[in-house]
Amino acid sequence: MNFTASTIVFVEIILYLLLMLGVGIYFSRKKLDHADFFLGGNKLPGWALAFSERATGESAYMFLGAVGFIYVTGLSGIWILSGMFFGIIASWFFLAKRFMKETKKHQVYTLTDYIAVKFPNHSNIIRWLSAIIMVTFFTCYLAAQFSGVGKTLYSFSGLDITIGTTAIALIIIAYACMGGFMSVVWTDTIQSFLMVAAFIIVPIAGYFEIQQADLSISSSLSSMGNGTDSWIGGLTGLALGAMLFTNISWFFGWLGGQPQLSSRFMALKDEKDLRTGQIVAVVWTLIVYVGAFLSAIFASVIYQQGTIEDAEMILPHMVFDLLPPWIAGIILAGILAAIMSTASSQLLVITTSVSEDIVHKAMGMEITSRTLVKISRIITILAGLIGIVVSLASGSIIYSMVSFAWAGVGNTFSVVILLIFFWKKTSGTGIVATIITGFFSAILWSISPLEAIISAKAATFFICLIVGIVVSLLYPEKKVHSANTASLVK
């Protein structure tokens, strides 16, 4: 891009970032109690929660990691998106209503707190273990988002990755800190529209480029080799089964175990909002997933393998090549929107895990609601700064980092939620064993040779499920007369 074009894009990005910061400032001026800061105080409409859940669910992974993966692997990359799509359907149509009702019944604000109040005999150990796991894995997840910010800015401006990462990360920390859940949801809603626009415009531009260059999609895919022109990657037998199972295994992480997503279900007011949310979520996902897949396939036709140094940056490269600067700026804002929406929600997960689940509940500190919000803001700042350091130190690959966090948190807690929702014999001891197993199995499997055969995302889910069932049968739950779930906040 020439100097003038780069300037136009840069100005649009600055305006977009100022808008996000403005939302945070707006909510910082409101008197938020801890219910507002953690879960919106039941003041958010269903459509906004659905847009927020979708924007949060599709992070730098979708714009950079998944598109880059499909660009390299070809048609068989569809199975990743298929697994995720069916997981989203399952979460909105089979779990969201249960989350909404259970939240109101137990008056809880976090996923961990809900699990803990279900098993009062083990509540403190559940809170401590869950907080350790969420902080550990979500720091990696957060670092992956910050890495996506730096790589995206560098791709069009040449801005030093350290400077770009730090600058936008500080903006994310600022608006998450100021407005909590309220500002995160409303910024997500704005960002979700940009994400949809990006995945409508880019594939259309790619298609016209292919037509103008008189390129053949089928011939181009065939010439790439390695089964890129096959929906099953040219594989057979066990190799085919392993590939399908690994890619579709993203499905399991959507089954209630991602706290940054389940919090949107917990914030729903009623069934009317739920139905609205379901429609918004399905339509939004179809548009974005089809657009992402077509963008990646068209990119593999336009750009030969090896011409782009970093496959995860193929989408920004495509945007700057095919679109006029003012549109490219909007699309780039959409990519940053995906990253920022997820990063801010992950920050909030880390914050609530420490302030609500540990400081407030596990440690039993009797503090005012306003004081708890102040503590939460301090924790948000500290967590964000640690995320920046990890991002800059790791130089991580986004796909790998997100996949690792997905296994450690999503698949572990999906098993926990499914057992609680659908199996009456689940015991507190079984839940504790499941959480511990998920933590270690995700780490050990990811660094073992087995990862090349079956992803930790799939392995962790089934290992946790087996452990949860077996331990619950061996150590059944002891009945208690009542569980004190009243808040300590005065």
Side-chain angles (χ1 to χ4, degrees):
M1 298 179 72
N2 58 42
F3 176 76
T4 303
S6 296
T7 302
I8 293 172
V9 173
F10 197 73
V11 169
E12 289 184 337
I13 295 303
I14 293 298
L15 292 174
Y16 163 72
L17 294 174
L18 289 175
L19 174 62
M20 296 301 98
L21 195 57
V23 174
I25 293 172
Y26 172 78
F27 282 104
S28 71
R29 300 174 67 86
K30 292 182 174 291
K31 295 181 179 180
L32 302 178
D33 62 19
H34 72 294
D36 297 324
F37 194 88
F38 293 150
L39 215 56
N42 282 126
K43 299 173 183 177
L44 295 162
W47 58 267
L49 289 167
F51 278 126
S52 176
E53 188 271 341
R54 293 289 64 241
T56 298
E58 313 306 340
S59 59
Y61 170 78
M62 180 56 61
F63 277 81
L64 305 181
V67 172
F69 179 81
I70 298 170
Y71 165 68
V72 173
T73 59
L75 297 177
S76 62
I78 191 70
W79 298 109
I80 286 180
L81 300 180
S82 298
M84 297 173 76
F85 177 72
F86 288 116
I88 293 162
I89 295 297
S91 66
W92 271 100
F93 285 86
F94 297 101
L95 300 177
K97 183 176 180 180
R98 185 71 175 266
F99 270 117
M100 179 180 70
K101 289 185 174 181
E102 290 291 284
T103 299
K104 289 178 172 58
K105 177 180 178 181
H106 296 285
Q107 292 297 299
V108 292
Y109 301 111
T110 70
L111 183 67
T112 296
D113 197 23
Y114 169 67
I115 299 169
V117 299
K118 294 293 287 185
F119 303 99
N121 292 333
H122 302 81
S123 59
N124 273 1
I125 190 171
I126 287 173
R127 288 191 175 98
W128 278 103
L129 287 173
S130 299
I132 290 170
I133 289 178
M134 289 182 184
V135 169
T136 299
F137 285 100
F138 271 99
T139 298
C140 294
Y141 211 153
L142 183 63
Q145 306 311 311
F146 289 164
S147 293
V149 168
K151 291 170 71 172
T152 300
L153 289 179
Y154 175 78
S155 69
F156 86 92
S157 66
L159 182 67
D160 182 78
I161 289 180
T162 299
I163 295 174
T165 298
T166 304
I168 295 190
L170 290 176
I171 292 175
I172 296 171
I173 294 168
Y175 75 70
C177 171
M178 289 186 285
F181 191 82
M182 299 285 282
S183 65
V184 166
V185 167
W186 285 116
T187 52
D188 284 354
T189 300
I190 297 170
Q191 290 160 342
S192 67
F193 285 104
L194 288 173
M195 294 164 70
V196 169
F199 278 129
I200 290 175
I201 295 171
V202 173
I204 291 174
Y207 179 77
F208 279 118
E209 177 67 17
I210 290 171
Q211 293 300 307
Q212 289 176 0
D214 197 25
L215 298 172
S216 169
I217 296 175
S218 58
S219 297
S220 298
L221 291 174
S222 179
S223 66
M224 288 170 61
N226 297 319
T228 52
D229 61 338
S230 168
W231 294 102
I232 57 175
L235 302 174
T236 58
L238 291 176
L240 173 60
M243 183 275 288
L244 292 174
F245 187 60
T246 295
N247 288 346
I248 294 176
S249 66
W250 287 92
F251 167 85
F252 301 117
W254 294 98
L255 302 181
Q258 295 284 357
Q260 77 278 23
L261 305 181
S262 57
S263 62
R264 274 64 182 172
F265 305 145
M266 296 170 74
L268 289 165
K269 293 195 295 289
D270 51 42
E271 293 198 27
K272 180 181 178 181
D273 274 350
L274 171 61
R275 288 191 295 271
T276 301
Q278 288 170 339
I279 295 170
V280 170
V282 171
V283 173
W284 191 98
T285 304
L286 282 172
I287 293 172
V288 169
Y289 278 25
V290 171
F293 180 75
L294 292 177
S295 297
I297 295 301
F298 293 163
S300 65
V301 174
I302 299 169
Y303 306 99
Q304 292 184 353
Q305 297 295 313
T307 58
I308 306 298
E309 183 179 352
D310 185 350
E312 290 190 334
M313 297 311 298
I314 185 62
L315 188 66
H317 189 90
M318 193 178 181
V319 167
F320 304 138
D321 262 6
L322 305 181
L323 298 171
W326 69 273
I327 296 181
I330 295 174
I331 303 303
L332 180 62
I335 297 174
L336 294 178
I339 300 169
M340 295 173 69
S341 61
T342 302
S344 59
S345 294
Q346 290 159 351
L347 262 178
L348 206 58
V349 169
I350 296 172
T351 297
T352 55
S353 293
V354 177
S355 61
E356 173 70 0
D357 297 324
I358 298 303
V359 174
H360 179 206
K361 294 294 178 67
M363 297 176 66
M365 294 180 63
E366 296 191 15
I367 50 182
T368 65
S369 181
R370 294 291 172 81
T371 300
L372 186 58
V373 170
K374 290 179 181 178
I375 292 173
S376 299
R377 284 173 169 155
I378 293 171
I379 294 169
T380 300
I381 294 171
L382 293 175
L385 294 176
I386 292 171
I388 293 173
V389 172
V390 173
S391 173
L392 297 177
S394 64
S396 63
I397 298 174
I398 295 169
Y399 180 92
S400 299
M401 289 286 278
V402 173
S403 180
F404 176 64
W406 202 264
V409 175
N411 290 20
T412 298
F413 286 94
S414 284
V415 171
V416 170
I417 290 300
L418 292 176
L419 287 174
I420 292 174
F421 280 3
F422 301 111
W423 195 46
K424 293 182 179 180
K425 293 184 179 180
T426 302
S427 71
T429 305
I431 292 300
V432 170
T434 300
I435 295 172
I436 294 173
T437 300
F439 179 77
F440 287 106
S441 66
I443 295 173
L444 295 177
W445 195 285
S446 295
I447 62 176
S448 76
L450 294 171
E451 176 69 15
I453 303 172
I454 297 292
S455 170
K457 297 187 301 298
T460 299
F461 181 88
F462 287 101
I463 292 172
C464 287
L465 184 61
I466 293 169
V467 169
I469 292 173
V470 171
V471 175
S472 290
L473 290 174
L474 292 175
Y475 300 95
E477 186 71 4
K478 294 180 180 179
K479 300 295 182 181
V480 293
H481 293 295
S482 64
N484 181 19
T485 59
S487 173
L488 295 171
V489 175
K490 296 181 176 180

